[in-house]
Amino acid sequence: MTSDILYNLIFKASGDAKIQAMVEKMHATVDKTEAAINSVGKSLKKLNSISLDATLNNINRVASGFQSVAKPGLNLSTNMYDLQAITGVAGSKLKEIEGYARKSAKTFGGDASQAVESYKLILSQLTPEIAKQPKALQAMGNSVSTASKLMGNNAVAATELLTTAMNQYQVSTDDPIQASKTMASMMNVMAAGAKEGSAELPQIKQALENAGMAAKGANVSFEETNAAIQVLDKAGKKGAEGGIALRNALSIMGQGRFLPKDTQTALKAAGVDIAAMGNNSLPLSARLKALTPVLNDGALLSKLFGMENQNAARALISGIPEVERMTKAITGTNTAYEQAATVMQSPEEKNKRLQAQVDDFKISLFNATGGLMGYMGVIGDTTKTVTDLWPALQFGGKVLGTLTSTTKMYELGMKAGSIAASLMSGAQAILNTIMSMNPIALIVIAIAAMVAIVTVCINKWDEWGAGLLMLLGPIGWVVNAVMSIKEHWDSIVNAFKSDGIIGGIKRIGMVLLDVVLKPTQQLLELLAKIPGMGKYINPAIDSIKAYREKNDLLSQGEKDKNNAQTGIAAPAQPGAVATGTGKTGKQAVATKNEAIVTGGTKNTIVHVHIGKQVETLKIEAANITEGAKKMRDIIVDELTRAVAMGAALGGNS
């Protein structure tokens, strides 16, 4: 049986201390890189052996399905917590509001979380105190949902329309139930006005933003204000412009006896009843009738209202009959409800209500599992990323395996030695050498550098590697996810066996959560070493540690470290064999002799001394490539002779 002879080539350049240091450093780097690469290769092979690819694909399919089921409940739950933060309402009242939101979604078709969004906007625009009476909040939410059907299902626009009307008319919310009834009445008035006139609901909102408070101050009813807005809209004063025109007209009419003396004299001469014009106890139409004598007197109308407002005033005075008709037509109607009911008969709206029923069932499942399904989104996204990148990781394993071959490592060592020798020619020579390299070689070096970084991180995963991987972006995240699943694979399998599919998925979610927790802990531990930072960071570190330990997220390496710190001996691994230098000198000699006799592996150490050759080797800076090649040829020749001699000696021993 032939022996496998392993040669450790130990370079010693006695002629130059700098080269000696370079060579020794090269040896150490190659040894560490080879060990690290071998470790990664073994890890990848082990992962492949448990069919991780198929497992991740199956998990991804299940997680995607659960993600769809969990989405309505997750969205609703998030908005309910926001609502609780805004209002301070909790317990049974908060649950009651959630029930109203779900009922609204099924009634009007939509998302329960959108209903809660409307609730939040109502409360922020009016007062959070309304939430303390959930029925009032429900009634206001129903008004918003009804109005949204008239505004292309835009719940935000509908909420802003109704709250603007209430705020401009300073509706009291001391009695939320009564306030909700006023909101519904205003909604019907505006819907009827849009039906009877030319201004649509968005334009009515813009007009109210400018004229609403002035109309309230002038004691003009909401119905009359909407009638006047519609009259001005037809006269070309649309939206905000119409609101400004109405506000200015009401302000001037309200001055009454405080108008300039010459204006009062002219108005009285024309037959205008100034007292009636400014009497806030009269309807708007009656106040406008007092101005009919000056309708055709452009100069006096301009003097009273100003050049910029005279056309709006003329439109209002001439439109008195329309103001009266429309005021009557939009008072006490259910126009908004009737129009919404018609809109909701369309097939699209029916489909929305059907979807809302399905979503409500999903919410029930979400609540029944205590929000567990909320993990599915994270699991689905992470497993999909790992699954998509797994072929690349497998390919990386093959590349690493190739790089660990003896021939490749030998060539790498020789090239490194050649480059080290070239360093003596100066920085410019180095630059020229690198620039003359094949671009593909540069790419390989870059890839090797990244592989080396990831490899070191994997080897130091339990110390600081996970934290550094987190900073490397998607590649580091995927490696962390794979390492976490690998470390806790047995616990995942056991969870499926003992707790069923729900318990197994829950364990997967917890393991993937550690993809964030463990790196965060390591990064915080590094920061805590900065003088003065520990007292601020250590509480957070302790909290994360306690949570991870409680949920069995510590890796075996971390457990061993904790046991060592507390003086607890680590449990012996089954089948473990003691290793080290425990053999006596005679036993070691006997073992070595036995290996030689039986053809076992033997290590032959050949010391190659390179001394005077370096001193006499001349390399011209102008032709660094040729000089390096000559030096390499000389060294290779010497090493070849030395290795041949070593082989002969090894074969005879």
Side-chain angles (χ1 to χ4, degrees), residues 121-184:
L121 189 54
I122 290 170
L123 297 173
S124 65
Q125 295 293 322
L126 299 178
T127 172
E129 295 298 313
I130 297 174
K132 295 180 180 179
Q133 292 197 35
K135 286 189 177 297
L137 186 59
Q138 178 200 22
M140 291 182 178
N142 287 343
S143 294
V144 167
S145 297
T146 301
S148 71
K149 296 301 176 184
L150 313 182
M151 304 180 75
N153 283 312
N154 191 334
V156 174
T159 305
E160 291 177 347
L161 170 71
L162 298 179
T163 56
T164 295
M166 295 187 69
N167 285 329
Q168 287 295 315
Y169 261 77
Q170 299 177 323
V171 176
S172 173
T173 56
D174 292 341
D175 184 349
I177 297 296
Q178 183 58 44
S180 67
K181 293 178 180 178
T182 302
M183 177 184 281

Side-chain angles (χ1 to χ4, degrees), residues 499-516:
D499 302 326
I501 186 170
I502 297 297
I505 292 175
K506 184 176 180 181
R507 181 58 185 169
I508 292 173
M510 190 62 66
V511 169
L512 292 179
L513 178 62
D514 200 43
V515 175
V516 176

Side-chain angles (χ1 to χ4, degrees), residues 1-316:
M1 181 181 297
T2 59
S3 301
D4 295 328
I5 304 175
L6 175 64
Y7 294 96
N8 292 325
L9 301 179
I10 303 177
F11 294 88
K12 183 176 181 182
S14 59
D16 195 311
K18 291 184 179 179
I19 296 180
Q20 171 69 24
M22 290 180 189
V23 172
E24 291 177 353
K25 186 174 182 180
M26 181 194 72
H27 273 297
T29 302
V30 170
D31 290 343
K32 290 181 180 179
T33 303
E34 181 177 8
I37 291 175
N38 287 335
S39 175
V40 174
K42 292 178 181 178
S43 298
L44 292 174
K45 289 180 180 179
K46 183 177 180 181
L47 287 174
N48 188 51
S49 67
I50 61 176
S51 302
L52 184 60
D53 186 19
T55 303
L56 291 175
N57 274 310
N58 290 333
I59 293 173
N60 185 36
R61 293 192 187 111
V62 174
S64 296
F66 276 110
Q67 184 178 10
S68 175
V69 174
K71 186 176 181 181
L74 190 61
N75 292 341
L76 177 60
S77 176
T78 300
N79 277 338
M80 290 305 299
Y81 276 105
D82 290 343
L83 184 68
Q84 182 179 1
I86 293 171
T87 64
V89 174
S92 61
K93 286 188 176 181
L94 190 67
K95 204 67 180 174
E96 185 179 356
I97 293 174
E98 179 183 328
Y100 290 146
R102 294 173 63 178
K103 184 178 180 180
S104 175
K106 291 185 289 183
T107 301
F108 294 95
D111 194 332
S113 65
Q114 292 178 351
V116 179
E117 281 288 345
S118 297
Y119 293 165
K120 288 160 56 180
L121 189 54
I122 290 170
L123 297 173
S124 65
Q125 295 293 322
L126 299 178
T127 172
E129 295 298 313
I130 297 174
K132 295 180 180 179
Q133 292 197 35
K135 286 189 177 297
L137 186 59
Q138 178 200 22
M140 291 182 178
N142 287 343
S143 294
V144 167
S145 297
T146 301
S148 71
K149 296 301 176 184
L150 313 182
M151 304 180 75
N153 283 312
N154 191 334
V156 174
T159 305
E160 291 177 347
L161 170 71
L162 298 179
T163 56
T164 295
M166 295 187 69
N167 285 329
Q168 287 295 315
Y169 261 77
Q170 299 177 323
V171 176
S172 173
T173 56
D174 292 341
D175 184 349
I177 297 296
Q178 183 58 44
S180 67
K181 293 178 180 178
T182 302
M183 177 184 281
S185 175
M186 287 180 157
M187 173 188 66
N188 282 310
V189 168
M190 291 185 287
K195 179 182 178 181
E196 294 289 334
S198 57
E200 297 296 333
L201 294 177
Q203 286 72 46
I204 293 174
K205 170 182 172 290
Q206 294 170 4
L208 285 173
E209 287 175 338
N210 291 283
M213 196 165 292
K216 170 68 174 178
N219 198 32
V220 178
S221 69
F222 189 71
E223 290 79 2
E224 285 183 304
T225 299
N226 274 268
I229 289 172
Q230 293 296 339
V231 169
L232 288 170
D233 186 84
K234 284 186 178 180
K237 302 294 182 180
K238 297 181 178 296
E241 186 181 1
I244 293 171
L246 179 58
R247 179 192 67 194
N248 292 343
L250 292 173
S251 177
I252 293 169
M253 291 168 62
Q255 292 183 32
R257 67 182 186 279
F258 296 104
L259 288 168
K261 293 296 183 182
D262 58 339
T263 303
Q264 290 188 46
T265 300
L267 290 174
K268 288 177 181 179
V272 174
D273 186 347
I274 297 177
M277 178 187 70
N279 189 348
N280 287 354
S281 64
L282 297 176
L284 176 61
S285 59
R287 298 180 225 177
L288 291 171
K289 285 178 181 179
L291 291 168
T292 52
V294 298
L295 179 60
N296 297 319
D297 189 342
L300 185 53
L301 201 64
S302 176
K303 183 174 180 59
L304 175 61
F305 289 100
M307 290 291 294
E308 68 278 7
N309 299 311
Q310 64 171 327
N311 290 332
R314 182 176 285 109
L316 288 170

